[in-house]
Structure formats: C-alpha cells, structure tokens
Amino acid sequence: MKILVLGAGAREHAIVKALLRTGTAKDDLIVAPGNAGIALDAHTEPSLNPNMPLDVTKFALEHGIELAIIGPEAPLVAGVSDALRSEGIAVFGPSQAAAQLEGSKSFAKEVMAAAGVPTGMARECSTIEEVADAMDEFGAPYVIKADGLAAGKGVIVTNDREAALAHAEKFMDIGILVEEFLAGQEVSLFFLADGKTVVPLTPAQDFKRAYDNDEGPNTGGMGAYSPLPWLPEGFVEEVQRDVAQPTVDEMAKLGTPFVGLLYCGLILTERGIRVIEFNARFGDPETQVVLRRLTSSLSGLLYKASTGQLNGATTPDFSKDVAITVVLASEGYPDTSAPNRPIYGLTEAEATGIEICHAATAPAVAETTADGVLLATGGRVLSVVATGTDFAGARKQAYAGIAEIQLEGSHYRSDIAAKVAN
Ligand code: AMP
Ligand code: GLY
C-alpha cells in the first residue's frame, strides 16, 4: 500500500518509524515535507506544502497514494482531507468540518454538552469584563483558553489574576473560554475512529510544563510515558463508553462524521473523568511512546479507520514493555526563539539504544560546520524515545541517550516518568 504522511515534526517521525517497524516497506512511504531526521528513514518531499489541498491531492494522484495519514492540525483545518477524499483516496484525518472539534473549543463544548460527555464548566467570553466575571464565578486557579488554534500556547492556568486577564486580552480576537479548574492526574488516550466505531490505543501521560516539577509555562509537551500503571481498572473502557463513542456518535448525527484520530485529553478528578480537550490528530509527544509500543500493523489499522472498517474485532496489540520520551528544546523555548545552532552527538546518542524522533532539524549549510551536521531550527528540536521492561530502566536509557546530545543553550526535563520509576 502506497502511503503519504503529511507533516514535519517528531510525531510524524514517530509515525514513520512505527509504520516501518510494523510492516510498511520503505519504498511504499513518502513524507511531505518531512525534516532532516525523517529523511534518514524515509523518502521525503520537502517542497510539497502539506497545507495546500490541491497541491497535495495532485501529488497523491501522481504517486498512486492509497492512504494519506495527516499528522498536524493545520492541513485538517485547511481542508486537505476533504480534497483527497473527493478523489477517492483513503485519508486518516477528519474533514475540515469535523476538525473543528480541535479547532474550536466552544464547538467541542457544544458537542460534549449534546453528547452528555463529562467536562469542566466553561463560559464563552468576548469582552474582558465577561472574562473577569467568569473568573470571579469559578475562582482561582484561573483557566483561560484561546478558542482557536494557538500551537499549544493558548491555555494559561494561573493564580495570578493580572496574568490571566493579560492572556485573555492577547487572544481576545479569536475568542476566549474561561473554565473551572480541574484538579487531578492528566491522561491522554487516543482512539482510532472510522466515523462510527472507535478503537482505543493505549494511555499515555504528557508533561505540558516547561520545567521540572511542573513549573514554568505550558508548552506543546516536554515528554511522555506509556502505559500508566496507576490507572484504575476499566479506565479505557469507561472513556470509550462515556467520552469517545458518544462524541463520535454526536459528530455523525451533526453530519460531520469523525474519521481519524480522536485525542481525548482527560483529567482524573475526585468526581470522575473529565475531558479538558479534544484534538483531531495524534498528540506530540505522546505518539512517540504510544506507537513505540504498538506491535500490530499501523498501516492496517489506519487504513481500516479510513475506510469505515473498524469493528469490535479490531484490537491493536501493544508490547508489555514501557516507553518514555524526553523532548530536547532550544534555549528560551517556549517564550523566545533561539538562533539556529548545530547539534552534536546524535550518532553517539543513538548508539546507546534510544530512538530519535526529529522535530525541528535541518542540514547545516555553513562552511563552518562539518558535513552531515544538523541544525536545530525551532523550539522543540527532537525527542529521544527509550523502552524497557520497567520505567527505571527506560528512564536510565533515555537520559543516557539525551546526555550524549550537545546543543548550546538547550534544555529538557529530568523528571519524565520519575514518579512511576521505583
Ligand atoms: P489544553 O490545551 O486544553 O490541553 O490545555 C493545556 C493544559 O492546561 C492541559 O494539559 C492542562 O495541564 C491545563 N488545563 C487545561 N484545562 C484545565 C482545567 N480546566 N483545569 C486544570 N488544568 C487545565
Ligand atoms: N501533547 C499535546 C498535544 O499534542 O496537543
């Protein structure tokens, strides 16, 4: 099966590695645009803009693509799935309309209300006065969310009233949602959806804050681990029954069936499971650990989801081994951006047995750097992924690997999965 993967991040690199590990031939795979690291594993098409529906469709037709896998949200929101589907190509990724489940937090709240899905109370606000009123209603800590796509930086959770109001002011033009604060452990659980049926993958936990001990600003995600040994019995079944299935049913009822990956961002509160967000795509960096543990054919699963063929017999298999991923970020991330700088030690890092998923790397062109040296070109540069029979071992390996990598000014969290390793 000829497969096109759209995207250029560590998530797409993890998807590529999982495809190759579970039976896809390298010659059957093209990644557009990809990045310098993905290009080491697969054929990439750096000049194809994944957000252009007509260009992507033309490319897919010319290359006989039978399955398109859409990594990031931007192509979904741009309608790339719709364009590909109109030419009869199987697409893993929701339509533009269904992707609103991620693109609009207020739409997501409406769907959840209609479907009876448990979530936090929230108020939609269009003026700063409304924001202040809602903050008074719910009290501190304040949770302020931009109502559109904001690259993982649209949410602030703070006790600082002024900071909360300033954040609301900054994103007021795309709309603001003020939400009640929910206390508890966070869980990311992904479901494959074919428009009717949902099939769970395996739970993971993401570390959203920039620094150790959950300090610092929210980021796109600084690390993750899977599975979550502390989850109560029946958790996955409960989320499937109370969250994922009713949401997909409601989307079908609205005439916008959801085909692709339903990312359920959950908090396990004292009063039960609550949804804090939906995404319409694989999460980054959770994908690096979830797919690292997958042993079933990834292309087979995604093709079934894309063609309405999921059913009760579709049960993805996962290794009993645990997986952890640690993200290496550039100096200043997520607040400021650093200049492009050379990365050293990648070969030595891989020699320790870890896998590296590249996010923002490009070949160096300057004469001052040796051949083959890569530059860090963005905030989240790469993630290292390690597995093991227990978290202590996997952590040891991940941190030994990342210690080999040198990038001036870079930082990473040292406490990923620390609580489950004993
Ligand atoms: P989101 O982009 O909605 O996932 O929010 C980013 C992060 O903010 C989440 O991963 C949580 O850590 C935190 N967050 C979001 N909503 C809430 C809430 N209602 N209560 C507490 N924390 C929240
Ligand atoms: N890891 C969070 C996200 O992908 O949105």
Side-chain angles (χ1 to χ4, degrees), residues 327-385:
V327 172
L328 183 78
S330 287
E331 184 174 16
Y333 176 80
D335 297 322
T336 56
S337 48
N340 293 353
R341 289 178 178 144
I343 312 168
Y344 300 104
L346 293 176
T347 311
E348 291 78 359
E350 275 176 325
T352 68
I354 53 139
E355 212 169 59
I356 300 179
C357 293
H358 291 240
T361 61
V365 284
E367 285 161 13
T368 49
T369 45
D371 266 3
V373 168
L374 298 181
L375 294 180
T377 57
R380 289 193 294 173
V381 178
L382 55 83
S383 31
V384 301
V385 187

Side-chain angles (χ1 to χ4, degrees), residues 78-416:
V80 170
S81 322
D82 307 76
L84 287 164
R85 270 195 199 105
S86 72
E87 293 292 342
I89 297 167
V91 185
F92 187 76
S95 65
Q96 190 175 39
Q100 282 303 303
L101 208 50
E102 168 166 0
S104 164
K105 291 193 189 280
S106 49
F107 175 71
K109 287 286 185 195
E110 286 161 24
V111 170
M112 283 188 268
V117 170
T119 184
M121 284 187 296
R123 299 278 173 266
E124 273 176 58
C125 302
S126 50
T127 66
I128 206 72
E129 290 74 26
E130 288 172 8
V131 171
D133 284 350
M135 282 168 49
D136 290 341
E137 180 186 349
F138 296 137
Y142 306 111
V143 180
I144 312 286
K145 300 187 170 185
D147 193 13
L149 294 177
K153 296 176 190 167
V155 176
I156 192 172
V157 180
T158 179
N159 281 306
D160 180 341
R161 195 178 165 85
E162 293 311 311
L165 287 168
H167 185 83
E169 197 85 72
K170 183 167 154 202
F171 289 103
M172 191 59 81
D173 51 339
I174 53 174
I176 294 292
L177 219 64
V178 179
E179 198 169 284
E180 69 171 318
F181 177 79
L182 299 167
Q185 286 292 324
E186 279 186 53
V187 181
S188 302
L189 183 55
F190 301 163
F191 289 83
L192 308 176
D194 70 356
K196 299 186 302 285
T197 302
V198 295
V199 169
L201 297 183
T202 184
Q205 187 168 53
D206 178 17
F207 289 70
K208 286 251 168 68
R209 300 283 186 141
Y211 314 125
D212 281 4
N213 303 316
D214 292 331
E215 285 171 15
N218 263 321
T219 69
M222 294 297 290
Y225 68 92
S226 172
L228 308 182
W230 40 267
L231 278 177
E233 188 80 25
F235 174 86
V236 170
E237 293 77 8
E238 185 178 341
V239 177
Q240 178 165 358
R241 184 191 65 222
D242 295 346
V243 175
Q245 190 64 56
T247 299
V248 164
D249 290 346
E250 180 63 24
M251 293 297 283
K253 218 163 96 187
L254 291 172
T256 52
F258 191 95
V259 177
L261 194 115
L262 180 64
Y263 168 130
C264 299
L266 309 158
I267 292 194
L268 217 57
T269 74
E270 279 179 353
R271 287 175 294 146
I273 295 165
R274 296 285 182 277
V275 174
I276 49 167
E277 67 167 339
F278 285 130
N279 290 318
R281 45 150 184 96
F282 280 104
D284 188 348
E286 296 97 315
T287 300
Q288 285 86 308
V289 287
V290 169
L291 294 188
R292 185 70 185 82
R293 297 184 49 237
L294 181 75
T295 53
S296 314
S297 160
L298 180 59
S299 67
L301 288 167
L302 302 189
Y303 189 76
K304 275 187 189 166
S306 306
T307 52
Q309 297 184 69
L310 295 178
N311 57 47
T314 318
T315 46
D317 290 320
F318 290 92
S319 161
K320 284 206 168 35
D321 280 358
V322 306
I324 109 158
T325 185
V326 182
V327 172
L328 183 78
S330 287
E331 184 174 16
Y333 176 80
D335 297 322
T336 56
S337 48
N340 293 353
R341 289 178 178 144
I343 312 168
Y344 300 104
L346 293 176
T347 311
E348 291 78 359
E350 275 176 325
T352 68
I354 53 139
E355 212 169 59
I356 300 179
C357 293
H358 291 240
T361 61
V365 284
E367 285 161 13
T368 49
T369 45
D371 266 3
V373 168
L374 298 181
L375 294 180
T377 57
R380 289 193 294 173
V381 178
L382 55 83
S383 31
V384 301
V385 187
T387 56
T389 51
D390 60 32
F391 282 109
R395 268 174 61 75
K396 202 165 160 215
Q397 184 156 36
Y399 284 108
I402 205 166
E404 295 290 335
I405 302 175
Q406 293 118 44
L407 166 63
E408 187 191 330
S410 62
H411 60 103
Y412 57 84
R413 279 182 64 156
S414 68
D415 63 346
I416 307 300

Side-chain angles (χ1 to χ4, degrees), residues 4-6 32 48-63 65 68 70 75 80-81 83-84 89:
L4 173 65
V5 176
L6 293 180
L48 182 64
N49 181 339
N51 301 328
M52 304 296 263
L54 296 180
D55 294 353
V56 171
T57 305
K58 182 163 173 272
F59 180 88
L61 289 172
E62 280 168 8
H63 290 79
I65 297 301
I70 303 190
V80 170
S81 322
L84 287 164
I89 297 167

